[in-house]
């Protein structure tokens, strides 16, 4: 991958990133990420709530049932994203910001269909959902709160646990057709 944007676009198209996908066992996610992530409870740690892990802009959350329940990328600051050390370049640069126009053009170029996601669209946030069930959230630049949507900045890309964890990656029944 060349940039964090490549990781995000691939994730939006497939619902997977860096060998991770929602619904996979938390222990497997820990193994894929090199172990020691805290995604697997150890002796003496509480195991009844969600456990989170962050590496650069990559976020992984494991449910009390010990499956990846949320996977995605969240901006670090100012619409910029940092590559995860695992599986990425591991550099400390911040990439972006990525505008609506750039992201949606890359999705279209990748053959990925998407639609407006009204449940997560508000006055100061526009959301879309890809065919793989990944939600991408955009907000206006802080310096131009009244800017047209096509100039809004990507702030996050997430996918939640599939409704049926028996479905293999990329076959989430909640995905947009």
């Amino acid at each position: 991958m060349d940039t964090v944007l490549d990781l995000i676009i691939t994730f939006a198209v497939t619902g997977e990133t860096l060998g991770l996908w929602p619904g996979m066992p938390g222990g497997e996610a820990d193994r894929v990420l090199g172990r020691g992530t805290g995604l697997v409870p150890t002796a003496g740690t509480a195991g009844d709530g969600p456990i989170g892990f962050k590496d650069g802009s990559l976020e992984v959350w494991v449910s009390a049932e010990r499956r990846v329940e949320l996977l995605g990328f969240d901006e670090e600051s100012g619409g910029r994203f940092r590559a995860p050390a695992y599986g990425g370049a591991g550099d400390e640069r911040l990439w972006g910001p990525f505008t609506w126009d750039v992201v949606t053009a890359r999705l279209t170029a990748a053959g990925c269909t998407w639609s407006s996601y009204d449940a997560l669209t508000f006055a100061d946030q526009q959301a879309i959902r890809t065919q793989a069930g990944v939600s991408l959230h955009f907000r206006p630049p802080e310096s131009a709160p009244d800017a047209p949507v096509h100039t809004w900045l990507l702030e996050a890309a997430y996918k939640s646990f599939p409704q049926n964890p028996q479905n293999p990656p990329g076959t989430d029944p909640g995905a947009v057709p």
Side-chain angles (χ1 to χ4, degrees):
M1 296 293 158
D2 294 324
T3 69
V4 175
L5 183 57
D6 293 325
L7 289 173
I8 293 170
I9 295 300
T10 299
F11 175 55
V13 171
T14 66
E16 303 175 38
T17 189
L18 300 169
L20 304 166
W21 67 89
M24 76 185 297
E28 180 67 9
D30 179 64
R31 186 193 64 72
V32 167
L33 291 166
R35 304 210 186 274
T37 62
L39 293 174
V40 178
T42 58
T45 62
D48 35 329
I51 301 169
F53 172 77
K54 186 161 172 72
D55 180 2
S57 290
L58 174 70
E59 285 196 42
V60 182
W61 284 88
V62 172
S63 69
E65 292 77 29
R66 301 296 163 242
R67 292 205 169 273
V68 173
E69 72 176 12
L70 187 71
L71 176 64
F73 293 89
D74 199 11
E75 71 178 334
E76 294 278 315
S77 67
R80 296 181 185 275
F81 294 78
R82 189 177 314 278
Y86 159 77
D91 69 49
E92 291 298 311
R93 289 182 291 175
L94 288 173
W95 296 85
F98 309 120
T99 64
W100 172 283
D101 277 355
V102 167
V103 172
T104 57
R106 291 282 303 271
L107 291 172
T108 300
C112 180
T113 58
W114 54 271
S115 61
S116 179
Y117 192 29
D118 294 339
L120 294 176
T121 295
F122 312 103
D124 61 347
Q125 175 177 289
Q126 289 286 324
I128 61 174
R129 191 161 188 205
T130 68
Q131 64 195 29
V134 175
S135 301
L136 292 98
H137 308 215
F138 298 84
R139 63 167 172 74
E142 290 178 17
S143 61
D146 295 327
V149 171
H150 71 92
T151 66
W152 286 22
L153 306 178
L154 179 67
E155 66 180 346
Y158 283 102
K159 182 172 181 179
S160 297
F161 191 107
Q163 293 185 8
N164 179 353
Q166 300 307 310
N167 290 334
T171 63
D172 178 3
V176 176

